[in-house]
Amino acid sequence: MIYPIVKFGNPLLEKPAEPVTVFDDILKKLIGDMFESMYAAHGVGLAAPQIGISKRLAVIDITFKENAEAKLVLANPEIIHTEGRLTQNEGCLSIPEFRETVARPRKATIRAQDLNGKWFEKTGEELLARAFLHETDHLNGKLYISHLSALKRDLIKRKIRKLMKAGEW
């Protein structure tokens, strides 16, 4: 099932998500639906709050279906180490049509549970590190625009409010 992507303005995107506590077939179905929804939206990462579900759950595939082994499921993820700095253009499925330059760590190590509840650690560099950080931010109720200057962030919010008023958001 492909879920619609929740857009900026929905309060669920700015609230910390609830921990995943049950690892069952219902969760596995949700994970499959999340990958399907992410691919349909042309994303490389998707957090459960982005489809209206307050769970600390995210899926990532920075290869966009090119390597099945690259698919990652992150339940209850925590960033445990970062290093370096990399400034790149970043966007978000919940804030479509807006992209900005964001500085984030170049390397990040995450500790999370897989779809069966087993804990693991994984280190990613560049795009994978950015995806870990971006999706974990979503689960903490933060959007990538929170990493921008107040001026840039306010400008984007003003443009979005204008689109909302026009019924285009």
Side-chain angles (χ1 to χ4, degrees):
M1 175 181 149
I2 296 174
Y3 285 85
I5 304 295
V6 172
K7 288 186 180 177
F8 177 80
N10 184 315
L12 185 62
L13 292 174
E14 298 187 65
K15 290 183 181 156
E18 298 295 319
V20 175
T21 55
V22 179
F23 295 83
D24 58 7
D25 289 340
I26 294 168
L27 183 71
K28 288 178 179 134
K29 166 83 169 91
L30 174 60
I31 289 165
D33 290 347
M34 286 178 67
F35 274 111
E36 197 177 335
S37 301
M38 178 186 76
Y39 294 137
H42 304 286
V44 296
L46 183 71
Q50 291 182 276
I51 58 167
I53 298 170
S54 180
K55 287 282 177 208
R56 291 190 64 77
L57 181 66
V59 296
I60 294 173
D61 179 1
I62 62 167
T63 72
F64 195 78
K65 300 193 249 188
E66 287 182 21
N67 178 359
E69 292 175 24
K71 289 171 69 170
L72 291 170
V73 173
L74 308 174
N76 303 314
E78 300 291 331
I79 301 296
I80 58 172
H81 179 75
T82 61
E83 61 184 77
R85 210 85 190 128
L86 183 63
T87 302
Q88 286 185 323
N89 206 287
E90 189 168 328
C92 178
L93 297 175
S94 292
I95 310 175
E97 299 169 36
F98 290 89
R99 295 189 68 79
E100 287 293 330
T101 302
V102 178
R104 289 194 186 262
R106 187 185 62 74
K107 193 173 185 179
T109 301
I110 199 158
R111 181 173 188 268
Q113 290 172 281
D114 65 16
L115 72 163
N116 296 308
K118 183 178 177 218
W119 286 98
F120 69 94
E121 287 183 15
K122 184 161 181 73
T123 300
E125 293 189 43
E126 298 187 8
L127 182 57
L128 185 55
R130 186 167 294 271
F132 285 166
L133 297 158
H134 183 105
E135 300 311 327
T136 303
D137 273 356
H138 272 301
L139 303 179
N140 293 329
K142 278 178 78 175
L143 296 164
Y144 86 95
I145 59 173
S146 68
H147 296 282
L148 302 175
S149 70
L151 183 64
K152 276 189 177 180
R153 190 172 46 250
D154 289 345
L155 191 61
I156 290 171
K157 286 180 179 181
R158 254 188 264 139
K159 286 178 182 176
I160 291 171
R161 279 195 287 275
K162 203 179 229 184
L163 290 170
M164 287 173 154
K165 275 186 181 175
E168 298 173 21
W169 188 253

